Amino acid sequence: MATVAGTIAPVRRRFVDSAIVNWITTSDHKKIGILYIVTSFFFFVVGGIEALLLRIQLSQPDARFISPEVYNELFTMHGTTMVFLLGMPILAGFGNYLVPLMIGARDMAFPKLNALGYWFFLFGGIFINLGFLIGAAPNAGWYNYANQTELQFASGLNEDVWALGINILGVASLVSSINLVVTIVKMRAPGLTFNRLPLFCWTTLVMAVLILGAIPSLTTSSIEIFFDRHLGTSFYQVASGGDPILWQHQFWFFGHPEVYILILPAMGMISEVIPVFSRKPLFGYSFVAWSTVAIGFLSFGVWAHHMFTSGLPLVAQGFFAFTTVIIAVPTAVKIFNWIGTLWGGDLDFKTPLLFAVAFVGMFTIGGLTGVMLGVVPIDWQVNASYFVVAHFHYVLFGGTVFGVFAGTYFWYPKIIGRMMDDRLGKIHFWITFIGFNLTFFPMHIVGMLGMSRRTYTYAAGQGWTGFNVIETVGAFIIAIGTLFFIWNLIWSLRHGEVAGDNPWHAYTLEWMTSSPPPVYNFKKIPEVRSRRPAWDAEHPEDPDWRRTH
Amino acid sequence: MSHEPIVDHGNVEEEEEHIHLPGSSVWPFALAVSLFVVMVGLLFFPHWGTTAGVVQLVLLLVLSIVGVAGMVVSIISWGLQISEARPGSGTH
C-alpha cells in the first residue's frame, strides 16, 4: 500500500505541476490575457474560413458550392464569431494583459473572477460552435431577428444553441467588465490620476461600462427567445400578442453600444501607438479622453437607426437620425487629434504605425458611410444591402482588426520578450490593406446596385458578377496576409530579436518593467508624475512633469 | 539642473519578498465546465407543444443535475479555498 502511495504521489505532483494544469488554474492576469488573445485569434481563423466559404459561393452567379441551409449557418456563425468570439474577447485579452501593467498594479482586482471570465468565454465559444457538430448551427443571422427564431419558423435546435451560447458569452463579458472597471478605478499607482491615465485604459474603462449597460439587454432577450420556444410564452409571437419589433429594440439597445465596445479599445491602442512612432505626446489628450466618454454616453441613444425601415414614427426617426449624426462629432475629434499628433512628428513607419495610420483612414471611410446611413432616406434605399456590409466591415475590420494588429506588433515584444519581424510585418500589412479594400470597397457599389446582404446566389446579367469576383479574390488575399502574420508570430517566438524593456522608447508604465514582466509586474509600485512616466525615466533632464503637470 | 525623481521609488509600498498575489485555483475552470454541462442539458428541453422522449428527458435531467451540482460544489469550494501565494510572487 505504501508502495502504491509512494508511486502515485510523484505522478500526482508531476500532474499538478504540469504546464497544462498551470494554465488551467492560473489567476495571473498576464497568462489569462494571453489565453484570451490566443483563443480569440483561433476563432478569428475559424470566422475567416467561414467568410472564405461564403465568398466562394458568391464568386459566380447561380453557384451551388454550398447548400442554402449551410450558407445561412455560415453567415450567422461568421457574424457571431467575429463579434462575440474575436472582437470582444481579444480586446478583453489585451485589457487583461495590459491594464494592470499600465496602471502600475500587480494584478486585476479579482484575479480568480478574471479566470472565470475567460473560461466562460472559452466554453461559450465551444458551445455555440457545437451546433456544427450536431447539424444545428445557428442560422437566423447574427442579430437573430424575431420571429425567425420562433418555433413555427425554426423547429430545430439552431436557435436554442444561439440563445444559450450567447448567455454564456454574455456572462463572460460581464464578469470581465466588472473586473476591468474596479481595477482601473481602484488600483492605479500613486499619482496616476485620471488625467494621466493611458488612453488605452480610458477606452477600456468606457468599453467595460458599456458592456455592463448593454449586455443585459441581449442576455435577457435571448432568454425570452428560449422561453417562447420552450415554455410557451409570447414575447415575440404576434399571434399571442407578442411583438417581434420588441426584439429589434432589445437587440439594438445592445447592438449599437456593441459597435463602440468593439472600436473604443482599438482607438485606445492606436492612441498609444501613434505618439510613440511620431515621437510626440498625443495632441489633445483631454479631448481624446473625454470624447471617449461622450461616445460611450451617446452610444446608448442611437440604437433605432438600425430600425428606420421597421415602421418607426417619424419623430423617432428624426430623433435617432439626429443622435447618429451627433455621435460623429466626438469621433471626428479623435481623428483630428490623431492627425494632429502625426502632423510634424518624426514619423517612424514601423508596422504598428502602418496599421495605426490605416486604421485612421479606413475607420474614417466607415464612419462617413455610417453618417450616410443615419440619414433616413438613404437608409431606406440601402438598408440590408451590401452597402451596409461594406460600412460595418470598414469600421470593424478596417478599424478594430487593424487596431488589434497595430497593438499586437506594438506589445508583442513586451508580452514575449522578442520583437516581431518588421519586414514580415510590412508584407502582412500591405497584403492585408490591399486585400481588405479589394474585398470591401466594391460592396458599396454592389449594394447600391441592389444586392441584398445574405443573398445566397444571384442571376447572371445583374451587373454584380465582376464585383463579386473582385471581392472573393480580395478575401483570399487577406487570408494570404494572415498566413504571413501567423508565420511571424510563430517565427518570432524563438528567432525574434531580444526586445529589452522598452524597445520602442514608449511612454507608459508597462515599458518600465522587464519583457516579459515578472509575475508581480513591478518590484516596487511606481509613483507617477506625468502622462509619460517612461519618457520621464529616460529623459530625466526634460521630464514631462516639470513642463506640464 | 536638479534631478528630481521621475518615477519615485522612495514611496514604496512593498518590497519584493513581501509581495502577495493570489494563488492558482481550479474552481473557476470547474464552474465554467459545470455551466457548460447545464447548457448542453438544456438543449434537450422539449419544445413547447412537443412530447419529449424518455432518452431526451433522462439526458435533460442528468446533465442539468450534474451541471448544477458541479456549479454548487465549485462555488462553495472556491469560497472555502485557502488563499495561497502565486509561485514566484514572494515568500508568503
Side-chain angles (χ1 to χ4, degrees):
Chain A
M1 191 67 186
T3 309
V4 173
T7 309
I8 291 175
V11 172
R12 184 173 180 275
R13 177 166 294 282
R14 274 205 301 278
F15 174 72
V16 168
D17 291 342
S18 66
I20 190 163
V21 172
N22 188 285
W23 281 91
I24 284 175
T25 60
T26 187
S27 60
D28 181 351
H29 74 97
K30 296 180 287 297
K31 284 187 171 178
I32 294 169
I34 291 170
L35 285 170
Y36 264 114
I37 293 167
V38 171
T39 311
S40 307
F41 191 73
F42 170 78
F43 283 122
F44 175 61
V45 173
V46 172
I49 291 170
E50 289 162 354
L52 290 178
L53 294 172
L54 296 171
R55 285 310 325 163
I56 292 171
Q57 167 62 25
L58 290 171
S59 61
Q60 294 296 318
D62 300 314
R64 294 288 184 274
F65 174 68
I66 47 179
S67 69
E69 292 76 20
V70 171
Y71 185 84
N72 288 348
E73 292 182 345
L74 286 176
F75 73 66
T76 300
M77 285 305 295
H78 168 72
T80 302
T81 300
M82 292 308 196
V83 170
F84 295 104
L85 304 180
L86 166 69
M88 295 175 79
I90 204 164
L91 297 169
F94 277 99
N96 264 288
Y97 194 98
L98 293 170
V99 163
L101 288 164
M102 286 180 137
I103 65 171
R106 294 215 159 98
D107 206 319
M108 300 286 279
F110 310 113
K112 291 176 186 173
L113 198 65
N114 202 22
L116 181 68
Y118 169 74
W119 294 115
F120 275 171
F121 151 62
L122 177 68
F123 284 103
I126 293 170
F127 184 90
I128 213 161
N129 278 283
L130 208 59
F132 283 118
L133 294 181
I134 60 175
N139 59 2
W142 86 274
Y143 48 61
N144 227 35
Y145 271 3
N147 47 12
Q148 294 173 58
T149 54
E150 296 297 324
L151 205 49
Q152 59 268 45
F153 306 112
S155 57
L157 286 174
N158 315 59
E159 299 319 309
D160 300 317
V161 171
W162 192 88
L164 295 171
I166 285 298
N167 267 279
I168 308 176
L169 294 169
V171 177
S173 299
L174 290 173
V175 164
S176 176
S177 300
I178 289 166
N179 223 341
L180 285 165
V181 170
V182 177
T183 303
I184 295 171
V185 171
K186 299 297 290 183
M187 296 182 67
R188 285 167 286 123
L192 187 57
T193 61
F194 275 107
N195 197 34
R196 295 172 182 166
L197 193 65
L199 280 160
F200 178 70
C201 298
W202 260 113
T203 52
T204 300
L205 176 63
V206 174
M207 171 203 76
V209 171
L210 292 187
I211 286 176
L212 294 178
I215 284 283
S217 179
L218 175 69
T219 48
T220 51
S221 53
S222 58
I223 289 171
E224 287 166 5
I225 284 183
F226 193 81
F227 281 11
D228 271 12
R229 294 170 57 80
H230 293 274
L231 301 177
T233 58
S234 54
F235 289 101
Y236 308 117
Q237 301 194 61
V238 177
S240 313
D243 185 1
I245 298 297
L246 172 64
W247 168 266
Q248 294 193 28
H249 282 291
Q250 290 174 307
F251 183 86
W252 289 116
F253 187 80
F254 146 80
H256 206 80
E258 172 69 8
V259 175
Y260 295 99
I261 288 166
L262 293 171
I263 197 69
L264 283 176
M267 289 176 163
M269 287 177 170
I270 70 158
S271 298
E272 302 295 341
V273 167
I274 288 175
V276 169
F277 292 90
S278 304
R279 305 314 305 162
K280 290 168 66 182
L282 185 74
F283 177 73
Y285 168 95
S286 302
F287 285 93
V288 177
W290 287 104
S291 65
T292 303
V293 177
I295 288 171
F297 180 76
L298 290 169
S299 72
F300 282 107
V302 297
W303 80 89
H305 70 211
H306 294 270
M307 301 166 55
F308 284 151
T309 56
S310 69
L312 285 179
L314 277 176
V315 173
Q317 295 195 35
F319 174 81
F320 285 104
F322 176 74
T323 54
T324 302
V325 174
I326 287 294
I327 203 168
V329 175
T331 309
V333 166
K334 283 189 189 316
I335 293 168
F336 175 73
N337 283 289
W338 293 323
I339 294 172
T341 307
L342 290 164
W343 192 267
D346 181 15
L347 302 183
D348 184 7
F349 276 101
K350 292 279 196 302
T351 309
L353 185 62
L354 287 174
F355 273 109
V357 171
F359 172 108
V360 177
M362 299 304 98
F363 177 77
T364 301
I365 293 172
L368 289 172
T369 52
V371 173
M372 289 170 67
L373 288 165
V375 178
V376 177
I378 294 177
D379 186 84
W380 284 350
Q381 293 297 318
V382 295
N383 180 62
S385 75
Y386 260 88
F387 186 88
V388 178
V389 179
H391 154 69
F392 66 70
H393 279 89
Y394 266 83
V395 172
L396 295 179
F397 196 127
T400 303
V401 175
F402 277 23
V404 166
F405 280 141
T408 304
Y409 283 97
F410 185 56
W411 280 296
Y412 184 95
K414 177 54 59 182
I415 296 171
I416 303 298
R418 291 179 182 273
M419 308 294 289
M420 289 182 79
D421 185 88
D422 196 54
R423 189 175 59 92
L424 281 174
K426 283 174 176 163
I427 293 170
H428 167 221
F429 168 75
W430 285 111
I431 291 177
T432 305
F433 184 76
I434 292 166
F436 167 80
N437 282 290
L438 281 176
T439 306
F440 297 111
F441 195 82
M443 289 184 185
H444 293 105
I445 302 166
V446 83
M448 287 196 285
L449 290 175
M451 185 170 175
S452 297
R453 66 190 299 187
R454 297 169 182 171
T455 295
Y456 167 62
T457 191
Y458 53 92
Q462 289 183 272
W464 301 350
T465 308
F467 294 108
N468 277 286
V469 170
I470 294 170
E471 290 161 13
T472 302
V473 170
F476 277 89
I477 291 174
I478 293 173
I480 293 167
T482 306
L483 293 178
F484 275 94
F485 178 64
I486 293 170
W487 172 244
N488 201 353
L489 284 173
I490 296 169
W491 184 88
S492 302
L493 278 175
R494 285 182 174 271
H495 305 290
E497 183 188 340
V498 174
D501 292 358
N502 190 1
W504 307 118
H505 302 288
Y507 305 144
T508 38
L509 276 180
E510 77 274 23
W511 301 102
M512 296 181 65
T513 187
S514 60
S515 306
V519 174
Y520 44 81
N521 290 352
F522 299 95
K523 187 173 180 181
K524 298 172 181 175
I525 300 293
E527 184 169 321
V528 178
R529 304 184 70 176
S530 81
R531 290 172 186 156
R532 299 196 299 169
W535 163 276
D536 295 344
E538 284 195 359
H539 300 84
E541 76 289 351
D542 185 27
D544 272 1
W545 55 265
R546 187 172 289 156
R547 289 182 292 180
T548 53
H549 305 294
Chain B
M1 180 182 288
S2 65
H3 287 264
E4 294 187 49
I6 302 356
V7 175
D8 187 356
H9 297 297
N11 186 17
V12 174
E13 290 185 357
E14 298 150 319
E15 294 296 332
E16 181 184 3
E17 61 268 27
H18 297 301
I19 296 169
H20 178 84
L21 292 168
S24 56
S25 174
V26 75
W27 299 115
F29 175 79
L31 180 53
V33 172
S34 303
L35 179 67
F36 179 82
V37 173
V38 173
M39 291 300 188
V40 172
L42 286 177
L43 286 177
F44 295 98
F45 202 105
H47 285 137
W48 184 250
T50 63
T51 308
V54 175
V55 175
Q56 186 181 355
L57 279 177
V58 168
L59 284 170
L60 167 66
L61 288 172
V62 169
L63 290 172
S64 301
I65 291 169
V66 167
V68 170
M71 289 177 73
V72 171
V73 169
S74 301
I75 291 168
I76 292 173
S77 303
W78 184 344
L80 294 176
Q81 191 173 36
I82 298 167
S83 182
E84 294 170 352
R86 185 179 301 163
S89 67
T91 56
H92 281 249

